[in-house]
């Protein structure tokens, strides 16, 4: 179990309600006195640290409640799976106390970026790659990730987004493997 491994390694962990992810985020941030929260998810194994740094910088520079690169999906220029969200504790706290919709509580930041109660900023990319998937929701996604991983290893590359995009542009057959899926499939709500 992940929790047991973390304890063995001396990694600080936080556990919360299984069916209320918003509550987990809020209670964890409150416990550790976080004022800024950076969210990357486990189904996005290829998130570029450069994008994380850029998102944090823009969050501070723009003085917004929320900054992200792939949210909202309808205007994203980034591939699904490069997802980075940065938001304030105050926005998280307001969401925690005001939001009662179970679906919104499962998806943590829906209340922040889908209502007009918060200031938000969406990062833009130099070209629109929103049709590409480098996330893991389906078996075909994992196949794509494994092919990208193999390419990065044999070429001794770090895995920055630009490196991944060059590979996918030059290997359209690999990008096509999971192209039948769209960002947000499975969210069960209209944007």
């Amino acid at each position: 179990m992940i929790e047991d491994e973390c304890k063995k390694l001396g990694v600080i962990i936080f556990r919360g309600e299984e069916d209320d992810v918003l509550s987990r985020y809020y209670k964890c941030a409150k416990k550790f006195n976080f004022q800024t929260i950076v969210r990357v998810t486990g189904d996005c194994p290829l998130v570029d640290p450069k994008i994380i740094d850029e998102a944090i910088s823009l969050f501070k520079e723009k003085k917004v409640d929320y900054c992200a690169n792939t949210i909202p999906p309808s205007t994203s220029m980034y591939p699904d799976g490069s997802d980075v969200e940065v938001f304030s504790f105050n926005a998280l706290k307001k969401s925690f106390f005001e939001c009662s919709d179970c679906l919104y509580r499962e998806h943590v930041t829906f209340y922040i970026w889908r209502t007009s109660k918060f200031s938000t900023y969406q990062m833009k990319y130099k070209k629109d790659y929103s049709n590409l998937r480098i996330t893991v929701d389906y078996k075909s996604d994992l196949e794509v990730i494994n092919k990208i991983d193999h390419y990065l290893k044999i070429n001794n590359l770090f895995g920055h987004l630009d490196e991944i995009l060059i590979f996918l542009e030059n290997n359209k057959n690999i990008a096509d493997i999971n192209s039948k899926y769209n960002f947000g499939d499975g969210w069960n709500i209209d944007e």
Side-chain angles (χ1 to χ4, degrees):
M1 182 177 208
I2 293 173
E3 182 177 0
D4 295 333
E5 288 301 312
C6 288
K7 286 178 181 177
K8 285 180 193 174
L9 297 170
V11 175
I12 298 171
I13 59 166
F14 180 87
R15 301 278 313 249
E17 292 85 356
E18 184 176 344
D19 297 325
D20 188 346
V21 184
L22 176 58
S23 173
R24 282 201 312 259
Y25 268 75
Y26 169 72
K27 289 177 180 178
C28 179
K30 184 177 178 184
K31 178 178 179 172
F32 294 108
N33 197 31
F34 297 144
Q35 296 306 304
T36 302
I37 295 91
V38 177
R39 182 174 187 236
V40 294
T41 58
D43 58 353
C44 300
L46 299 176
V47 173
D48 188 338
K50 289 180 184 177
I51 295 172
I52 296 171
D53 291 344
E54 182 182 357
I56 293 168
S57 294
L58 286 167
F59 172 79
K60 291 176 181 177
E61 176 189 320
K62 302 291 183 184
K63 296 182 169 116
V64 292
D65 297 310
Y66 175 87
C67 178
N69 64 334
T70 60
I71 302 296
S74 62
T75 54
S76 173
M77 297 177 75
Y78 286 82
D80 185 3
S82 61
D83 312 20
V84 176
E85 296 174 283
V86 182
F87 47 97
S88 69
F89 176 75
N90 288 336
L92 180 65
K93 180 179 179 180
K94 183 173 179 146
S95 297
F96 173 76
F97 285 108
E98 290 183 7
C99 179
S100 59
D101 184 305
C102 292
L103 190 62
Y104 276 35
R105 294 187 75 84
E106 176 187 348
H107 291 286
V108 185
T109 61
F110 274 21
Y111 191 75
I112 297 172
W113 62 266
R114 292 181 63 109
T115 68
S116 59
K117 298 180 180 207
F118 304 93
S119 59
T120 65
Y121 181 80
Q122 184 178 37
M123 300 164 59
K124 298 298 179 200
Y125 200 64
K126 54 191 165 195
K127 184 177 169 186
D128 186 357
Y129 289 101
S130 61
N131 63 312
L132 297 176
R133 289 180 60 84
I134 54 173
T135 187
V136 183
D137 292 316
Y138 304 100
K139 189 175 181 180
S140 59
D141 291 334
L142 186 56
E143 184 180 346
V144 171
I145 295 295
N146 286 335
K147 290 182 183 299
I148 293 169
D149 183 56
H150 177 73
Y151 163 77
L152 295 172
K153 283 181 181 173
I154 64 171
N155 289 287
N156 198 29
L157 298 172
F158 179 84
H160 291 295
L161 184 57
D162 287 344
E163 296 166 340
I164 293 167
L165 293 174
I166 289 168
F167 171 70
L168 292 175
E169 283 185 330
N170 292 330
N171 297 277
K172 297 212 184 286
N173 59 319
I174 293 172
D176 287 342
I177 292 171
N178 61 356
S179 64
K180 70 179 181 178
Y181 300 109
N182 298 306
F183 192 109
D185 283 351
W187 283 1
N188 299 323
I189 59 172
D190 296 325
E191 190 175 319

